[in-house]
Amino acid sequence: MVEQFPILIELCPLFGAILIAILGFRMPKLCYPITVLAMALSCAAAIGTFMMMLASPSGTVIYDLSGWGRVNDTAISIEYRVDALSALMLVLISSVAFLNVIYSKVRVAQETPSKIPHFYILYLLLVAGLEGITITNDAFNLYVLVEISSLTGYALIAIGSKRAVISSFNYVIMGTIGASFFLLGVGYLYIKTGTLNMSDIRSIMEAIPDDSKAIKVGFMLIMIGVWVKMAFFPLHGWLPNAYAYAPTATGALMAPLVTKVMIYIMIRMMLSVFGPEYVYETLGWTDVVVTLSTIAIVAGSFFALSRSDLRKMLTYIIVAEVGYMVGGAWLANSQGMTGAIYHLLSDALMTFCLFMVVGIVVSRTGDPKLTAFQGLYRKMPITMVGFTIAALSMIGLPPTCGFFSKWYLLRGGIEAGQYHYVGALLFSSLVNAVLFFRLIEMAYYHGAHAHGEPIRDEDHEQYRMHGADPDSQPKETLANAPWSMLGPMLVVAIGLIALGVFNSTVTEWIGQVVANLNVLEGAN
Amino acid sequence: MEFIVNNFNYWIYVILMMIGLFAMIAKNNLIKKLVGMTIFQTAIILFYVSIGVKGEGATIPILSYEQVHGTHHVEEADHAGEDDSHHAQADLPEIDARTITNPIPHVLMLTAIVVGVATLGVALAISQRIFHFYGSLDEDVILAKIQKGDG
Amino acid sequence: MEIVTSIIPLLACLASLLAVIPIVVFRKSPNLREAATVVAGVAKLSLVLTMLPGILSGKVYEFTFIEIIEGIPLQFRVDGLGMLFALVASSLWILTSFYAVGYMRGLKEHAQTRFYSFFAISLSATLGVAFSANLFTLYVFYEMLSLATFPLVTHNQDKEARSGGRTYLSYLLGTSVGFVLPAMIFCYVKSGSSLSFTELHDWSGVLDPSAALLLLLLFVFGFAKAGIMPFHSWLPNAMVAPTPVSALLHAVAVVKVGVFSVIRVFTGVLGTDFLSTVDVATVVSWAAGATVIISSLIAMTQDNLKRLLAFSTVGQLSYITLGVSLLATQAVQGSMLHIPMHAFGKITLFFCAGAIYVATGKKYISQMRGLGRAMPWTFGAFAIAAMSVIGLPLTGGLLSKMYMIWGAANAQQHALLAVYLVSSVLNGVYFFPIVYRAFLGKPADGEMHDRVKEAPLACVIPLVITATVSVLLFFFPGVFFELTTLMISSKS
């Protein structure tokens, strides 16, 4: 049983999806519990796999699908391989998906009452796809799983409003271009190496001369493919609308995870398939890519500043954060790579928390604009606790995880001497500070004061007359959000702080991968 | 010239891909975009299929009876008593790999075709919904409607 | 130097943080709520005092939470300077608590529970800064202080508070994230993974003078709480806060955290020895000197009493930065001494401004003619405190200023010496008319002060006490003096 954990991570959501397909249409009430159960099991299996990874002396868990065995120590079948990086990602994906299912209950019933089974089937398949991407060690299998997660993602977005359908179509076009480029790149690697197993590609490629054009083209195609998929500026066009108009629960699942998983693919390709020597030394692209990511950060921040729609704003922040991680991964030192991977985790949680908060706020106030936040500290205090923590983390204030990811990234940037990247990071932090304090301020002022009127006179008159603090009784109360929405959000908010406080443990795990994979120190 | 002729399969796929990419980006009609997408994906499939080909005389990857059983008895006699896995390995008949085309790219493409069909299906379903909402499949018309606040 | 591992620094820091719980629990019964504040204040001060004898005998108290980033523990270490600052902040918190009770009740302010809660959190952050053992810990508490004071600054929640609050946060957060954070990481990278104040890094050979200058400027301007121009304007804008906040936070805690951090940068991070070899600190000296003069000149034009005090504070803070940037032993000691001396004087002045506002509702100096005869205690205290801030004899302010001037003379910086002297004169120019008119001036037309009485006792008693302390510090500067001497001797 225990050794089957790696495959169970993926099987649980798959079978959950089949079960809903069989039962869900007749009994829509069963969909939710089945999904929760499937995700809980998947999450447990992911944690189990994580433990296996920690216990294993080599730091990797290898699982051959359907037990085809090995010839000359090479896998015949598709191989699953879990190292510290993929284990962390697995735990992240499954727990985010699990919490989001709980969160989705009310919103799915409100937004898409007629499509509950559809939603949950697609949801489970999407999660299975994402988990598969992180666990597989087979390049073609990776492509198929990318497409599984994308196809379900297109459909999940299209379930939403009128605008969502259009955005979903654009996403299909861009997503297919990205995935096809990736597939082409894999084809070139296959021509040169004759295998699809990623570790084997690496070992065979070491024997090939460095200046092989086919490999260079393959690498370029793969990078362009994942950059499109992760919305790396200026290839980001599909993202903002797709996530902003998607149904709440879809946005909260896809916004934190999909781009991050694509970044995971990039890092995996750089570290495990091509190898840092090749990527950083032979190619010599570091400066160019870091500059591109600098532009991405600055541009994303500017776009975010100019949006008045809450979720649009968040989506442009995602675009900027993608720049953080791409830049970090390409700094060509272990600090930057550690920062990129740590930020992968922390940014996923921050984005998740913010999308959940925005979902709650929008559903309670019915206002998708920034103004929805007026006076919320009084009206929705619990939600705002989560919001404040996530906002502080986005700005990068200690002790939240956002601070530490910035710390590692900045450190990597300084060590690599890429000061424009350092500057862009700081600029983006300041923009985030402006963005989120605008919201915090709006939430802090309330009632009459929200419009800048002084509180003194009439309110204090009341205070004298009734002996009551005028602020202790909000003039209007918003019925607070259900606990199925608040609970997961608070868990994530606590997670943000926990991830920050225990950052050295996490980076130690990340360090295993980065050290194992032999990132060159100070190669530039 | 020789370079082009010798690698004509690559040139064809690149040209097809560019046609597809052009249609996906430049066409206004959503269905035409999807046609472009299909051409794009087919180009990649052709590319994969063509890389499985090996020179002249290579044939399909199916082993004849003799190829499998002709050597079978000899091998068994030689290696009686060995453990299973080694046994199976030793069982493999001696075959010249150059005489057989590489089946793996072809098999991969079966999956890729399925993926392509699924993508097309999803995309068509989405365009159907778009038509349902906006009464048009022309991108400009739809954008104009969105801008008018009909979105 | 004996190092004692002890949990007391943590407890002292937590005392006010934990007080938030009873404050919130007793939000319906103001008496209990405010009692909780006072009890926490007393507990905090006594915890700080228990460490005092040990510190004076040369011990250093240490407490480590966890190693948060490789090579950087989240750590407290109480030394002379930290003790000095903690002593000032925690003793004044008690007085301010009493004062706040009088002030807030006198004006029937709203959201008092929030006020007391965030006040307590701010105090925890202040002590956290005081006890920090390394730059990272200091930074964490520095940011915590910025955030915790935001609801206090914007307490009124009106238009003015909103714009004041915006300026406040954008200056403080902008500089700390934009300047201090990269400078800190740069130090971390260059020093080989350490930011501790005691492991003085040997920067010679690592940093060339231009890098050292850049780093120094990033730190000095980054810690914008120290109010060096042009990053000073958050302070006058923060005067929209209720007076107890201005008094404790913007005369003592927040601004002193700024200069405290600057002193730490000079003495603990870059090191005065290194700085004197590369000779870059003069740039800071001139920036601080200019701030001293300009802010004094601006203060002379102010009619709003609290804004005047704010500009006066900006100038006084730059005294401290100027003193430490001279790098001469006496000047550094004078700077450290100026923290308590100025704190007691300036808090008295703010208390007075608040008391006047509670009693009469007047904010402007031009309205205060003749008011001194109606409120003799308040204006008497005001006069004494003003003397201390100017640095006249018989008040504590004289001592610190003398040391700084002595240091400037030793450092052969005659122009900067003149800055001290000229600004003292300017201080006198803007303070004395207030006192003079209050006691001897005639009320403006139609204004009668007959019915004006002193503010509530809870307001007046604290300000009388702090004024008295300002005088006593002249005669008995002992403890503070010894604490600063400890710092100087341990460095050289």
Side-chain angles (χ1 to χ4, degrees):
Chain A
M1 180 65 194
V2 170
E3 68 275 14
Q4 303 293 342
F5 272 150
I7 189 69
L8 281 175
I9 300 175
E10 229 191 315
L11 285 186
C12 292
L14 278 179
F15 278 114
I18 295 172
L19 206 58
I20 295 178
I22 296 170
L23 297 174
F25 289 96
R26 261 166 270 163
M27 290 170 276
K29 283 208 170 133
L30 278 180
C31 296
Y32 179 70
I34 292 176
T35 316
V36 171
L37 183 70
M39 282 324 305
L41 290 176
S42 172
C43 194
I47 292 169
T49 311
F50 190 81
M51 296 300 174
M52 279 166 71
M53 184 278 296
L54 284 185
S56 128
S58 62
T60 44
V61 176
I62 294 173
Y63 182 91
D64 289 321
L65 240 61
S66 56
W68 277 70
R70 295 171 160 256
V71 177
N72 299 332
D73 209 33
T74 22
I76 297 176
S77 65
I78 291 169
E79 182 191 53
Y80 277 9
R81 181 185 282 254
V82 183
D83 60 7
L85 173 58
S86 37
L88 282 169
M89 284 300 286
L90 283 171
V91 173
L92 173 83
I93 296 170
S94 56
S95 49
V96 165
F98 171 59
L99 290 171
N100 192 38
V101 175
I102 300 176
Y103 172 83
S104 71
K105 185 181 179 191
V106 180
R107 284 304 277 169
V108 173
Q110 275 173 358
E111 284 178 318
T112 49
S114 60
K115 296 215 168 79
I116 292 175
H118 306 76
F119 176 85
Y120 283 114
I121 291 172
L122 290 170
Y123 186 97
L124 286 170
L125 290 176
L126 172 62
V127 175
L130 294 176
E131 287 172 341
I133 291 172
T134 46
I135 203 171
T136 188
N137 195 31
D138 181 284
F140 187 77
N141 191 230
L142 185 67
Y143 161 75
V144 175
L145 288 161
V146 166
E147 282 300 64
I148 289 178
S149 60
S150 304
L151 286 172
T152 46
Y154 307 145
L156 271 176
I157 291 171
I159 285 181
S161 64
K162 260 171 128 176
R163 283 297 295 278
V165 184
I166 295 278
S167 348
S168 173
F169 190 87
N170 288 333
Y171 186 15
V172 173
I173 298 288
M174 289 304 282
T176 307
I177 292 177
S180 302
F181 272 114
F182 181 82
L183 182 60
L184 260 181
V186 171
Y188 276 95
L189 289 189
Y190 183 74
I191 292 175
K192 286 310 270 190
T193 62
T195 176
L196 290 166
N197 183 302
M198 300 202 292
S199 327
D200 293 347
I201 293 179
R202 170 96 191 268
S203 49
I204 293 173
M205 224 158 56
E206 272 164 8
I208 298 174
D210 278 341
D211 56 348
S212 156
K213 277 198 187 114
I215 288 185
K216 201 178 246 181
V217 170
F219 183 75
M220 199 168 74
L221 290 169
I222 288 178
M223 281 300 137
I224 293 177
V226 289
W227 284 344
V228 172
K229 283 266 183 186
M230 74 172 73
F232 184 47
F233 185 88
L235 306 171
H236 69 287
W238 57 271
L239 182 138
N241 283 339
Y243 289 172
Y245 296 118
T248 315
T250 308
L253 179 72
M254 294 186 66
L257 291 185
V258 174
T259 50
K260 306 294 173 300
V261 170
M262 296 304 149
I263 292 165
Y264 164 85
I265 297 178
M266 182 187 77
I267 292 175
R268 176 60 74 200
M269 286 289 156
M270 289 165 70
L271 292 182
S272 307
V273 178
F274 290 89
E277 299 88 354
Y278 181 79
V279 175
Y280 297 140
E281 279 195 332
T282 316
L283 274 180
W285 288 4
T286 22
D287 287 337
V288 179
V289 180
V290 172
T291 311
L292 281 177
S293 57
T294 306
I295 298 170
I297 296 171
V298 175
S301 303
F302 266 119
F303 284 128
L305 262 180
S306 63
R307 302 294 139 162
S308 66
D309 181 290
L310 273 170
R311 285 205 255 171
K312 276 270 180 71
M313 180 190 103
L314 292 183
T315 53
Y316 278 107
I317 293 178
I318 296 177
V319 173
E321 306 269 337
V322 168
Y324 282 31
M325 287 173 268
V326 176
W330 280 85
L331 284 174
N333 56 34
S334 58
Q335 292 303 326
M337 186 55 94
T338 308
I341 297 172
Y342 182 77
H343 195 63
L344 209 64
L345 307 173
S346 61
D347 188 47
L349 288 187
M350 291 188 270
T351 318
F352 184 40
C353 191
L354 285 173
F355 265 81
M356 286 201 283
V357 169
V358 168
I360 296 174
V361 169
V362 172
S363 74
R364 290 288 125 183
T365 60
D367 183 0
K369 299 269 181 232
L370 300 176
T371 46
F373 269 74
Q374 270 175 9
L376 286 191
Y377 273 108
R378 287 280 160 193
K379 294 173 200 159
M380 305 173 75
I382 302 169
T383 315
M384 292 313 290
V385 169
F387 173 76
T388 312
I389 293 174
L392 295 185
S393 183
M394 271 285 175
I395 300 165
L397 294 177
T400 54
C401 57
F403 173 77
F404 294 99
S405 54
K406 231 155 260 180
W407 175 280
Y408 291 110
L409 287 173
L410 285 172
R411 191 182 154 192
I414 290 175
E415 277 181 9
Q418 303 277 14
Y419 289 103
H420 53 89
Y421 174 71
V422 171
L425 279 183
L426 295 172
F427 172 75
S428 152
S429 309
L430 294 178
V431 168
N432 283 355
V434 172
L435 291 172
F436 286 103
F437 272 106
R438 196 161 65 180
L439 290 175
I440 287 177
E441 192 188 74
M442 224 178 273
Y444 176 70
Y445 295 95
H446 50 89
H449 331 307
H451 308 290
E453 286 148 30
I455 189 169
R456 281 268 148 84
D457 308 324
E458 82 266 44
D459 282 356
H460 284 277
E461 210 49 53
Q462 278 192 342
Y463 174 65
R464 289 191 189 97
M465 281 159 61
H466 306 297
D469 193 333
D471 289 319
S472 64
Q473 292 153 340
K475 290 192 175 80
E476 65 216 279
T477 39
L478 284 170
N480 226 330
W483 277 102
S484 67
M485 294 176 100
L486 288 179
M489 188 210 55
L490 287 180
V491 171
V492 178
I494 294 166
L496 286 175
I497 294 177
L499 186 61
V501 173
F502 298 108
N503 73 83
S504 46
T505 322
V506 178
T507 47
E508 215 170 280
W509 291 327
I510 297 172
Q512 284 177 15
V513 193
V514 176
N516 282 347
L517 298 169
N518 188 19
V519 172
L520 306 167
E521 278 296 341
N524 203 4
Chain B
M1 194 60 204
E2 205 177 328
F3 177 65
I4 295 176
V5 173
N6 283 346
N7 298 300
F8 76 99
N9 56 332
Y10 294 102
W11 288 104
I12 288 178
Y13 106 79
V14 168
I15 292 167
L16 279 177
M17 228 175 99
M18 288 306 126
I19 294 173
L21 200 60
F22 173 77
M24 282 163 98
I25 290 166
K27 290 289 169 189
N28 269 339
N29 188 302
L30 300 187
I31 299 299
K32 284 185 186 166
K33 276 178 190 277
L34 294 186
V35 172
M37 187 176 92
T38 313
I39 296 173
F40 189 76
Q41 288 177 319
T42 312
I44 293 170
I45 291 170
L46 285 179
F47 160 71
Y48 260 87
V49 170
S50 71
I51 62 177
V53 175
K54 286 181 189 165
E56 285 185 16
T59 176
I60 50 170
I62 295 175
L63 300 184
S64 65
Y65 186 84
E66 288 77 30
Q67 275 173 309
V68 179
H69 290 279
T71 52
H72 190 73
H73 296 287
V74 187
E75 296 283 331
E76 202 173 40
D78 281 359
H79 295 279
E82 299 248 5
D83 66 280
D84 266 0
S85 67
H86 200 170
H87 195 139
Q89 213 177 320
D91 253 358
L92 289 176
E94 292 287 333
I95 296 162
D96 186 1
R98 280 170 300 183
T99 60
I100 292 176
T101 50
N102 188 350
I104 291 183
H106 302 177
V107 177
L108 297 180
M109 282 312 105
L110 284 181
T111 317
I113 290 168
V114 174
V115 170
V117 169
T119 314
L120 189 62
V122 171
L124 282 173
I126 292 173
S127 13
Q128 209 175 21
R129 255 173 94 83
I130 292 178
F131 190 75
H132 174 74
F133 282 137
Y134 294 94
S136 167
L137 283 173
D138 192 293
E139 210 173 26
D140 291 341
V141 178
I142 295 168
L143 281 179
K145 285 200 172 177
I146 290 176
Q147 248 145 36
K148 258 192 285 169
D150 194 23
Chain C
M1 192 162 49
E2 191 189 341
I3 293 174
V4 186
T5 305
S6 157
I7 200 171
I8 301 176
L10 174 69
L11 292 178
C13 178
L14 280 183
S16 47
L17 199 60
L18 292 178
V20 173
I21 299 167
I23 289 174
V24 173
V25 168
F26 295 128
R27 62 186 178 278
K28 301 275 185 237
S29 47
N31 288 334
L32 278 177
R33 176 183 67 194
E34 279 132 38
T37 305
V38 174
V39 168
V42 173
K44 199 178 190 76
L45 180 60
S46 11
L47 282 166
V48 172
L49 283 175
T50 52
M51 289 185 288
L52 183 59
I55 300 279
L56 287 176
S57 65
K59 285 181 193 156
V60 168
Y61 290 84
E62 245 185 28
F63 182 81
T64 312
F65 302 85
I66 49 169
E67 188 177 84
I68 195 131
I69 293 180
E70 184 198 351
I72 309 178
L74 205 57
Q75 192 180 33
F76 281 159
R77 184 187 293 117
V78 190
D79 59 7
L81 182 59
M83 188 66 204
L84 172 91
F85 187 32
L87 208 56
V88 173
S90 54
S91 60
L92 286 176
W93 185 37
I94 302 178
L95 289 173
T96 313
S97 300
F98 281 111
Y99 180 81
V101 173
Y103 182 90
M104 300 300 275
R105 290 190 182 181
L107 288 176
K108 298 190 165 55
E109 282 283 353
H110 72 293
Q112 293 193 19
T113 305
R114 184 182 75 203
F115 176 84
Y116 288 113
S117 308
F118 280 100
F119 218 113
I121 297 173
S122 307
L123 254 290
S124 279
T126 309
L127 280 215
V129 170
F131 292 161
S132 294
N134 53 46
L135 195 57
F136 180 82
T137 316
L138 188 143
Y139 182 80
V140 171
F141 285 103
Y142 183 93
E143 294 291 33
M144 179 175 159
L145 185 61
S146 306
L147 296 178
T149 46
F150 177 72
L152 296 172
V153 170
T154 55
H155 183 84
N156 288 342
Q157 296 184 313
D158 52 15
K159 219 174 209 165
E160 213 184 331
R162 174 181 283 218
S163 75
R166 271 186 198 165
T167 321
Y168 187 75
L169 262 192
S170 44
Y171 272 78
L172 294 188
L173 271 187
T175 50
S176 67
V177 174
F179 299 158
V180 176
L181 183 60
M184 178 163 72
I185 296 174
F186 192 79
C187 276
Y188 175 73
V189 171
K190 293 292 171 193
S191 70
S193 315
S194 169
L195 287 173
S196 167
F197 294 134
T198 47
E199 299 158 21
L200 256 181
H201 315 298
D202 185 18
W203 292 106
S204 47
V206 183
L207 292 178
D208 52 24
S210 56
L213 176 63
L214 181 70
L215 209 52
L216 188 65
L217 290 181
L218 282 178
F219 275 125
V220 170
F221 289 117
F223 287 119
K225 286 182 180 142
I228 301 273
M229 283 180 181
F231 296 102
H232 69 287
S233 55
W234 62 271
L235 184 59
N237 279 296
M239 289 303 137
V240 295
T243 308
V245 176
S246 310
L248 183 60
L249 297 179
H250 300 132
V252 182
V254 173
V255 292
K256 293 290 156 45
V257 160
V259 286
F260 181 86
S261 309
V262 171
I263 294 178
R264 281 292 196 214
V265 166
F266 272 95
T267 60
V269 179
L270 293 173
T272 43
D273 297 338
F274 168 71
L275 286 173
S276 49
T277 58
V278 288
D279 192 32
V280 291
T282 22
V283 181
V284 178
S285 307
W286 283 106
T291 309
V292 169
I293 301 291
I294 297 172
S295 65
S296 302
L297 291 174
I298 298 177
M300 290 165 68
T301 66
Q302 299 296 317
D303 190 28
N304 183 324
L305 182 55
K306 275 177 75 179
R307 279 184 75 86
L308 180 142
L309 293 178
F311 278 106
S312 159
T313 308
V314 171
Q316 298 286 329
L317 293 174
S318 286
Y319 276 20
I320 298 176
T321 311
L322 175 54
V324 75
S325 71
L326 289 172
L327 306 174
T329 320
Q330 299 83 358
V332 174
Q333 189 171 9
S335 292
M336 293 176 182
L337 262 182
H338 203 59
I339 291 181
M341 301 305 179
H342 173 244
F344 281 96
K346 193 46 72 60
I347 201 170
T348 314
L349 294 174
F350 272 107
F351 280 168
C352 294
I356 296 165
Y357 182 62
V358 171
T360 66
K362 293 187 197 313
K363 290 185 195 168
Y364 295 99
I365 297 165
S366 51
Q367 301 168 324
M368 292 176 191
R369 285 164 189 272
L371 211 53
R373 292 191 294 272
M375 304 174 71
W377 286 101
T378 306
F379 275 92
F382 189 96
I384 292 171
M387 281 165 68
S388 177
V389 171
I390 300 165
L392 293 181
L394 298 182
T395 55
L398 174 72
L399 295 178
S400 53
K401 206 168 250 187
M402 258 174 51
Y403 264 89
M404 289 190 278
I405 291 174
W406 183 14
N410 267 1
Q412 303 288 321
Q413 296 280 10
H414 299 294
L416 295 170
L417 195 150
V419 166
Y420 278 116
L421 297 176
V422 170
S423 75
S424 298
V425 175
L426 291 176
N427 290 350
V429 170
Y430 61 74
F431 273 130
F432 266 113
I434 303 173
V435 180
Y436 174 81
R437 284 183 204 152
F439 280 110
L440 303 172
K442 286 213 175 77
D445 295 338
E447 283 217 48
M448 297 295 284
H449 297 314
D450 298 344
R451 291 168 56 203
V452 172
K453 286 192 197 115
E454 287 278 4
L457 272 185
C459 288
V460 176
I461 293 175
L463 65 88
V464 172
I465 294 177
T466 51
T468 318
V469 173
S470 295
V471 175
L472 288 179
L473 279 177
F474 177 73
F475 298 101
F476 310 104
V479 175
F480 293 131
F481 196 78
E482 280 177 43
L483 287 172
T484 53
T485 316
L486 267 178
M487 287 308 291
I488 299 301
S489 55
S490 72
K491 286 287 170 253
S492 56

